[in-house]
Amino acid sequence: MMLHVDIKHNLGALTLDMRFNAGPGVTAFYGPSGTGKTSLLRAIAGLQKPDSGEIGFQDEVLFGPRHNVPSQKRNFGYVFQDARLFPHLNVRQNLTFAPDLAGQAAPDLDRIVDLLGLEHLLSRKPKALSGGEAQRVAIGRALLSKPRLLLMDEPLSALDPARRNDILPYLERLKSEGLPILYVSHNMAEVARLADHIVLMDDGRITHAGPVDDILSDPALTRQIGVRQTGAILRAKVSDQPGNGLTGIRFSGGQLWLPVVDAAPGTPLRLRILAQDVMISVHEPTGLSAQNVLPMEVTQIHRGEGPAIVVQMRSGQDHLLSRITQNSAQRLGIEPGKKVWAVIKSLAIAPSDVGRG
Amino acid sequence: MSWLGPAEWQALGLSLKVAFVATLLFMPLAVICAYALARCRFWGRGLLNALVHLPLVLPPVVTGYVLLLIFGRTAPLGGFLEKAVGLVLAFDWKGAVLAAGIMGFPLMVRAVRLSLENVDPKLEEAAKVLGATRLQVWYRVTWPMILPGFVAGAVLGFAKALGEFGATITFVANIPGHTRTVPSAIHAFLQLPGGEGPALKLALCSLGVALSAVALSEYLVQRSAGSDDAPR
């Protein structure tokens, strides 16, 4: 494990009490606002000293009873919610801020500029950038400091939904850099596209943690994830591009049709299918406008406090969640082991819920 | 150079020298003071703030008199300086520098402090995470961002030093060739019959110097704001 955190910190209204290890890939911290996510990142970055505990990275103790490595020596990248570009420097000078401090050249500059699509912005001043552009520059600036770990604090939350969707593909490409990333967010759509691991937080504590596929397909976590945010992740590959406005994708349990995705056959995709968009039929339905009817087996049922229940179904190695009323479940006799058909409208799968990789 | 007589030239040269040296010596102090007032919380902060602003609200003659009480040759500190390093301030151009500097100090501190308060500490935090030491944060981020305020403070201080009369004449008197700055010279000319001509010329000179200083500062601020490609 690369990063080891075990800290307590009093934040007034709540106490941050976190203990976890994070490895390679993207670890997302998801929870409501005001639950201590930002404070956690600040403690890891060395911007805020926890009351007690320990923070270690690989074999190095960063914070402990007798240790507190200052921020500038931790060599972590930090992308803030607001881009925090230096207004007196242009984009190029912002990008090379860290190498300039060390009096070094920035051999990675061209590659990072290319990765984040910044060529045409290099000579601009930050005040002439849009929110999305500024945030891309901030990400590039952090990357060019050659961090051992990248901390991202809701980097998209200050952007409108359209800009957010513009920048997500860049973040997906960022994953290919192989840098471990801690990603804080209260937007499940982002988390579902980027995360390898999820840590669910509430009231300063970890409530659940695990691989993204497990957490998002767990029907018992619906309430914490948000009833309208709940949806399992399906791993698939592009299989057909018939040119009729649809794209065919193949996953372990069969085939699905989506609104056209601009990707070559074989491209791996991960898509989130919201539980509220999945219908269940106990007979094979015919004469539907919906494009996708998948035979599945009910594996778990979770009854919450509300009028709905969440049904987990499996097909191949992949799971789907469906949220239906308790009344429907009773009427149809839904129970674990039952063979059912899941019905998904193609158009219910938003482009922003279809990610690469 | 017959337009100005030798006495006028002398006064103008002395005034420029005094104002320049006063700005040069007091600006670094003003930056430290502004930083302490803007960023630090310490015991006696209110007292320091009041002390810095005192010359702005006190009658200049009183400030000059206080200087005389502290730095006069028979005063404790003045006597000590003379014995220890041979520095005599009273009735000397160096004393005029002290008087002018102290009178301009509140203006310098205010300008720098205002621009310091406009620098978002979040930017300094961002620099720190990128690996900047405290010193590097200062000269890579904070300093370039307060530069326009610094220039404004220096110009205000310079202009104030150039025009300073009350404290100067009280502390160092009005000795031709030694402590007779432009304002003192104008005052002296106006006491003499037929002195209006030189007085008016010196007044025009003051106007010219003041306008040039403002123009220079505008130019410097513009340049530091810079075009997009300006290397730094």
Side-chain angles (χ1 to χ4, degrees), chain A residues 290-304:
Chain A
Q291 296 274 355
N292 303 298
V293 176
L294 301 167
M296 302 198 95
E297 184 191 335
V298 174
T299 41
Q300 255 190 74
I301 289 178
H302 181 77
R303 253 171 256 279

Side-chain angles (χ1 to χ4, degrees), chain B residues 190-210:
Chain B
L190 289 178
Q191 309 296 309
L192 299 172
E196 288 89 350
L200 188 62
K201 285 176 184 169
L202 279 177
L204 286 173
C205 287
S206 307
L207 186 71
V209 172

